Amino acid sequence: MESEHLERGIKVRQLLMIALGGTIGTGLFVGTGGNIANAGPLGTLIAYMVGGVIVYSIILSLGELASVYPTTGSFGDYASRFIGPATGYMVFWMYWVGWVITVAVEYIAVGLLMQRWFPHVPVYYFVMGCIVLIFLLNAFSVRVFAEGEFFLASIKVLAVFIFIILGVVGIVYQSYLHGFSHVWDHFYITKANPNLGLEAGFFPKGLSGVFGVILAVIFAYTGTEIVGVAAGEAKNPSVAMPKAIKATLWRIVFFFLGSVIVISVFLPMTDSSIAKSPFVSTLERIPLPFFGTGIPYTADVMNFVIITAILSTANSGVYASSRMVYGLAQKKMFPPIFAKLNKQGTPVYAMYLSMGFTLLGMLTQAYAPEKIIESLINIISFSVIIVWISVSVAQYNFRKQFVASGKSLDDLPYRAPFLPLIQFIGISGSLVGVVGAYMDPDQRIGAYLTIGYTLLCYLGYYLTKDRWGQA
């Protein structure tokens, strides 16, 4: 027997963990090293602060919309309702493609990381294991997904918390040994190094390096907005969403900025790279009382944590992408079969479609030239930027309509503060990320591909809008 409605089975504690752990993944655990190498410690810290302000403004807008309209279609529904159905259709597919590509890359990443312990086992064996695990977490009930995400997210949240605590102890101990001023040596380059393209000062590669990493920082924050999708299946979204928003703020301040500061104190930018997790390199250098420098088995422990973080991201990605397809079908913008639910209330056909295209993405990862893969990863960030902008515009239009209808703002379950400032920050900040990425010639093709995909989405809407009974 099929269910007629999505199951509201996500508890408050699970929604809080989805909000807290949604963005802690490869962008933080691995990408931070590349960001520090390209922008320097202070430049990376500024980039994460700017990105944090942008994403928090988006979450404030999303919180108001999701508390009034807690639907699993989330951004697509809001864009359809408050911007236009064509834009809503585009947003549905834009968010979908970003997660499909992300999940494909994450599967491969798990396989490669497992090679550390099982070098003779083919990567695709682990990839197949990941696919089965993520399928089992998503196919049966949203409660299984939420509990699985709670467990996986808890591991990485605890790991980052311990990392920061150890870093603080190391900073205090280093201050005791060498003086407080020595702690900040890596933040300022005293001598230029033309061979490495470094200038003396706080910004060794210039301000352009800071703008260049903005897109990578946005990729690191990707996943924060998934709490808006989960709100559609939360038990009490009007209560849970404000709590999730507060959790997002503290995560940004504590986990991201705290991690960057600890890494920058102990790891020179010349030793940072995208090839090795900066968390591993930093733990190998932190001085601790009675233990000396370095912590035993650091690499193995962090390898395990990063794998769980990647699995968590893939779990969220399959969930979010399947709900986008379901939302399209529910609004009669896509074949009705994808709106069908199993008896546990899960849109399995939408999930099959998303997982199927993820497999195609993995083939691209395996056989396409490296530049194509980099461009596909850039599309993830550009697609999220478009989704974020749509949230700001939709919430601004919603508030105007709400006030014009004669209703009181006190009637809102959650009222976003600082309007229209947060819309200005969200939109202009997202556009700064696009401009910063465009300054890097290697990232421009990703922008062009995203523009082409956007136009294709609009074309798809106008070709099919009368086909499945959309009202």
Side-chain angles (χ1 to χ4, degrees), residues 39-42 185-207 269-270:
L42 184 60
D185 285 350
H186 295 155
F187 281 79
Y188 186 87
I189 302 296
T190 54
K191 294 182 180 180
N193 190 333
N195 294 330
L196 298 177
L198 302 180
E199 303 172 0
F202 287 108
F203 303 101
K205 293 190 177 181
L207 289 175
M269 67 176 293
T270 51

Side-chain angles (χ1 to χ4, degrees), residues 373-437:
I373 301 306
E374 293 176 357
S375 299
L376 290 176
I377 293 175
N378 287 337
I379 289 176
I380 299 170
S381 300
F382 284 118
S383 65
V384 169
I385 286 174
I386 292 174
V387 172
W388 285 0
I389 291 174
S390 77
V391 171
S392 292
V393 175
Q395 193 251 335
Y396 180 76
N397 290 341
F398 157 72
R399 181 70 73 85
K400 285 178 62 179
Q401 293 180 23
F402 190 83
V403 173
S405 67
K407 297 179 181 178
S408 171
L409 295 179
D410 294 333
D411 295 334
L412 292 172
Y414 172 75
R415 179 179 173 180
F418 312 125
L419 264 71
L421 179 60
I422 60 170
Q423 278 80 20
F424 175 78
I425 293 174
I427 295 171
S428 60
S430 297
L431 293 176
V432 166
V434 174
V435 173

Side-chain angles (χ1 to χ4, degrees), residues 20-339:
L20 192 61
T23 62
I24 299 177
T26 51
L28 177 64
F29 283 122
V30 180
T32 302
N35 294 338
I36 292 175
N38 291 323
L42 184 60
T44 300
L45 194 61
I46 291 173
Y48 272 103
M49 290 174 66
V50 171
V53 172
I54 295 170
V55 73
Y56 189 57
S57 68
I58 301 298
I59 292 300
L60 288 175
S61 294
L62 181 60
E64 182 171 296
L65 289 167
S67 63
V68 178
Y69 302 106
T71 67
T72 194
S74 193
F75 333 105
D77 281 342
Y78 306 145
S80 295
R81 185 187 294 257
F82 299 112
I83 302 176
T87 299
Y89 182 89
M90 180 273 295
V91 169
F92 271 118
W93 284 119
M94 190 63 66
Y95 196 60
W96 176 85
V97 78
W99 273 118
V100 165
I101 296 172
T102 298
V103 174
V105 173
E106 305 291 36
Y107 285 158
I108 297 293
V110 170
L112 294 174
L113 288 169
M114 291 296 290
Q115 293 287 292
R116 174 180 180 86
W117 299 312
F118 306 98
H120 303 298
V121 179
V123 170
Y124 64 85
Y125 280 18
F126 298 111
V127 170
M128 292 169 60
C130 288
I131 293 172
V132 172
L133 174 63
I134 300 303
F135 173 82
L136 293 175
L137 288 174
N138 280 269
F140 298 105
S141 169
V142 71
R143 287 177 292 180
V144 175
F145 156 78
E147 202 60 53
E149 184 61 22
F150 182 86
F151 173 74
L152 292 171
S154 297
I155 294 175
K156 58 185 179 182
V157 168
L158 179 62
V160 176
F161 179 79
I162 293 174
F163 173 81
I164 294 175
I165 295 301
L166 290 174
V168 170
V169 173
I171 289 172
V172 172
Y173 187 55
Q174 185 163 287
S175 300
Y176 169 76
L177 293 176
H178 306 291
F180 184 72
S181 60
H182 182 71
V183 171
W184 311 106
D185 285 350
H186 295 155
F187 281 79
Y188 186 87
I189 302 296
T190 54
K191 294 182 180 180
N193 190 333
N195 294 330
L196 298 177
L198 302 180
E199 303 172 0
F202 287 108
F203 303 101
K205 293 190 177 181
L207 289 175
S208 61
V210 180
F211 284 102
V213 301
I214 288 289
L215 191 67
V217 168
I218 288 175
F219 173 74
Y221 283 124
T222 298
T224 307
E225 72 292 326
I226 199 174
V227 69
V229 181
E233 294 173 81
K235 287 189 173 182
N236 194 345
S238 62
V239 174
M241 277 302 294
K243 292 182 178 179
I245 290 168
K246 292 177 182 178
T248 300
L249 171 63
W250 288 111
R251 181 192 62 218
I252 291 170
V253 172
F254 183 77
F255 287 104
F256 278 82
L257 301 186
S259 296
V260 172
I261 290 173
V262 171
I263 292 169
S264 299
V265 167
F266 296 105
L267 188 65
M269 67 176 293
T270 51
D271 293 341
S272 299
S273 72
I274 196 72
K276 183 179 181 181
S277 171
F279 282 71
V280 174
S281 301
T282 300
L283 287 171
E284 291 173 343
R285 298 165 183 256
I286 291 179
L288 296 173
F290 311 112
F291 289 94
T293 301
I295 301 173
Y297 307 109
T298 292
D300 287 316
V301 172
M302 283 308 303
N303 200 57
F304 169 75
V305 170
I306 293 171
I307 288 173
T308 60
I310 291 173
L311 288 172
S312 170
T313 302
N315 188 39
S316 297
V318 170
Y319 170 80
S321 58
S322 64
R323 267 50 178 186
M324 291 299 104
V325 175
Y326 169 80
L328 276 166
Q330 193 181 42
K331 295 182 76 66
K332 298 184 178 179
M333 292 180 170
F334 206 52
I337 188 174
F338 296 105

